[in-house]
Amino acid sequence: MGSDIKRGTAEMTAAMLISGTIGWFVVMSGQPVSGVVFWRCLFGALTLLVICGALGLLRPGIITLRAFGIAIFGGIAIVLNWLLLFASYSHATISIATTVYNTQPFMLLVLGALFLGEKITATKLFWLALAFAGMVAIVQGKPGAGGAAFDGYGLGILMALGAAFFYALAALAAKWLKGTPPHLIALIQVATGMLMLAPMTDFSHPPGDVRGWAILATVGVVHTGLMYVLLYGAIQRLPTHLTGALSFIYPIAAILVDRLAFGHALQPMQLLGAAIILLAAAGMNLGWTPRWLRPRALES
């Protein structure tokens, strides 16, 4: 058991660190967002095809027609999530976009209540309200209009919120696919993305050098194929609370990468809002209950 925890922790940490660097690769690729996502899907599909073949997941009868349809729905949602998240980087910076994107547990909370009949408790409402307060702080923390990099700041926040919503839809689809091999789900999702984006991808202007292709290949092979393998391996080995705790490596890594690579430092109000959102997300993921919301023990 101890070895499983250690291996799962290493896998989850690596997966989150990889995720935290994707913003740099997207920006440095110099490609339109739709092009980046298409090539991510293509290289990711090739990687996952090899992995699924090695795991024996390409045999007939592995997945039902209904599950296949739900996986396609999840693929549409995850691709829209990538498009919006990557587009938000140029408007609100990687740090802000990634932090706002971490409101996804609250999107899933509402969707779970609407479609799965899950209850929204007072504790969950508290964390939801706290996350909203963090969002208000980030919106109010908009930098001055002196830098072109911050044009469309509000649009960037809305894009990141939209990305979080579509990620929550993909997570909802994953709940309906319980028992279906996750690597096969991922393969169907990226294959769906290829078909979605092929008509709008400009193949006449591909990357002009080896470096450009290497960046796109890394996003597909490492940030998609390898990351999925590490993430699903970790989820299978770790208890839920530890998976939730380690997931916060992702936004922290993204903020550090944004600061070191592009010199984007959070303003005081943005920093406060980011801290509040991450605290609220941690409370949701880890099941924390504020003391005043805990039921009082019956007095004897």
Side-chain angles (χ1 to χ4, degrees):
M1 184 64 179
S3 61
D4 273 352
I5 294 293
K6 289 180 181 179
R7 180 174 174 180
T9 299
E11 289 174 335
M12 189 68 183
T13 300
M16 294 300 97
L17 287 173
I18 289 171
S19 297
T21 64
I22 193 169
W24 183 89
F25 283 87
V26 170
V27 172
M28 296 306 294
S29 72
Q31 292 288 304
V33 168
S34 59
V36 174
V37 177
F38 172 81
W39 293 111
R40 178 183 192 179
C41 289
L42 175 61
F43 287 116
L46 293 174
T47 305
L48 288 164
L49 187 65
V50 172
I51 293 170
C52 288
L55 295 174
L57 300 178
L58 301 179
R59 304 189 313 273
I62 292 291
I63 186 170
T64 65
L65 186 61
R66 175 180 177 274
F68 183 74
I70 294 173
I72 290 176
F73 167 79
I76 294 171
I78 206 72
V79 169
L80 291 173
N81 150 64
W82 288 340
L83 288 170
L84 286 170
L85 180 61
F86 294 170
S88 70
Y89 293 158
S90 61
H91 295 284
T93 77
I94 294 171
S95 298
I96 292 298
T98 304
T99 301
V100 172
Y101 180 62
N102 272 270
T103 58
Q104 54 194 254
F106 305 101
M107 307 282 186
L108 187 56
L109 170 67
V110 175
L111 291 174
L114 290 175
F115 296 104
L116 301 177
E118 297 177 351
K119 293 182 179 180
I120 300 180
T121 64
T123 299
K124 292 177 179 178
L125 280 175
F126 168 76
W127 294 124
L128 179 60
L130 192 64
F132 180 77
M135 277 295 310
V136 171
I138 283 180
V139 171
Q140 293 298 317
K142 175 183 177 180
F150 293 103
D151 289 344
Y153 180 77
L155 177 61
I157 290 177
L158 289 175
M159 285 179 170
L161 284 172
F165 171 75
F166 283 112
Y167 180 89
L169 281 181
L172 187 68
K175 284 178 177 284
W176 287 329
L177 290 170
K178 188 175 181 180
T180 305
H183 301 93
L184 185 58
I185 296 173
L187 174 59
I188 294 170
Q189 289 177 339
V190 291
T192 299
M194 285 172 51
L195 296 176
M196 282 176 60
L197 297 174
M200 62 184 73
T201 301
D202 185 4
F203 295 104
S204 63
H205 293 88
D209 53 18
V210 174
R211 177 177 177 273
W213 281 113
I215 288 175
L216 293 177
T218 300
V219 170
V221 176
V222 177
H223 291 89
T224 306
L226 177 60
M227 197 277 290
Y228 266 115
V229 172
L230 292 170
L231 180 62
Y232 289 142
I235 289 173
Q236 290 172 355
R237 293 180 175 88
L238 295 177
T240 302
H241 73 275
L242 193 50
T243 302
L246 291 171
S247 68
F248 288 95
I249 295 173
Y250 165 42
I252 293 171
I255 290 171
L256 289 175
V257 167
D258 198 25
R259 180 71 177 94
L260 295 173
F262 303 110
H264 293 155
L266 294 177
Q267 304 296 315
M269 188 64 76
Q270 293 175 317
L271 192 60
L272 175 63
I276 291 174
I277 287 176
L278 295 181
L279 173 64
M284 273 286 295
N285 284 338
L286 304 180
W288 295 342
T289 302
R291 183 172 299 177
W292 63 88
L293 290 176
R294 295 174 188 168
R296 295 181 179 179
L298 294 176
E299 296 181 1
S300 56

